[in-house]
Amino acid sequence: MGVSKTFPPDSIREAYAAGIRVFGENKVQEFGGKASALADLADIEWHLIGHLQTNKASRATELFGAIDSVDSVKLADKLNAAAEKSGKLLPVLIEVNVGGEDAKSGIAPGSEELEQILLGAPRWKNLLIRGLMTVPPYSNDPEEARPFFRRLREMSDSIRVRKLPAISMENLSMGMSHDFEVAIEEGSTCVRIGTALFGERT
Ligand SMILES: *Cc1c(COP(=O)(O)O)cnc(C)c1O
């Protein structure tokens, strides 16, 4: 996935010309401002990868093809209602705060909220819950991220074997510019690359 946040439509066109078809943006409002300038690129899959406030769920459902940062039952409720209203099936990932950092969004591993999302899935008829996403604690040394990536994969494996209704665990979104190799070694199915593709963000 090319992470194009903060970059203008022209940069996205360049990445598109190079063959990228899956893009991630982290803010509803920012992407809302760029979307119309890119509307002709019809085969792009746009993912929201940043924290989503429940009051923006319906706008996000209009703009994005997938939401990779679901982190509460309330947000799942709102997204499902919005997707139902627009007659769409919305693929989502559950964001997990594997490092337990206060400043990061995502659900705590093993928490009641996570369990409620897993068990609540059958009632969200317009959501397709397809896996987990995480941003581990930052370190210059990618090896330090390895235990967190491994933990996410183990969580995904242990959810999969429960064979819960309306939950599939086929996607594991983890790894960024500085640590994607380690993430792939630990089972990532989607690396989210910003800086290494687009350059430093200002
Ligand atoms: C910005 C961002 C990325 C990309 O980070 P880089 O280090 O620039 O590759 C990946 N995932 C999320 C959730 C982001 O917000």
Side-chain angles (χ1 to χ4, degrees), residues 3 5 49 133 135 176-177 192-195 201:
V3 176
K5 65 189 186 196
I49 59 171
M133 183 274 240
V135 181
M176 303 170 29
S177 293
R192 306 180 307 268
I193 310 298
T195 312
R201 288 179 293 274

Side-chain angles (χ1 to χ4, degrees), residues 47-155:
H47 289 238
L48 180 68
I49 59 171
H51 179 66
L52 177 59
Q53 290 168 285
T54 52
N55 63 352
K56 292 186 183 147
S58 122
R59 182 76 180 122
T61 302
E62 290 166 14
L63 284 170
F64 292 94
I67 309 292
D68 294 354
S69 49
V70 171
D71 60 0
S72 70
V73 168
K74 193 173 164 208
L75 180 57
D77 278 335
K78 298 275 184 200
L79 287 170
N80 183 66
E84 190 180 355
K85 215 168 163 188
S86 48
K88 131 182 205 188
L89 284 176
L90 187 64
V92 303
L93 302 180
I94 303 170
E95 183 176 359
V96 180
N97 184 356
V98 276
E101 294 168 285
D102 288 342
K104 285 229 169 89
S105 49
I107 305 187
S111 65
E112 184 56 31
E113 187 84 13
L114 175 59
E115 199 54 26
Q116 281 180 22
I117 292 189
L118 295 176
L119 299 177
R123 78 172 190 271
W124 297 311
K125 305 276 183 231
N126 291 68
L127 300 187
L128 304 166
I129 302 180
R130 290 197 162 151
L132 306 178
M133 183 274 240
T134 199
V135 181
Y138 185 83
S139 163
N140 281 325
D141 178 6
E143 280 303 323
E144 304 238 327
R146 189 183 295 278
F148 297 106
F149 292 146
R150 188 164 294 173
R151 175 128 195 238
L152 194 73
R153 174 173 38 92
E154 286 167 356
M155 277 179 68

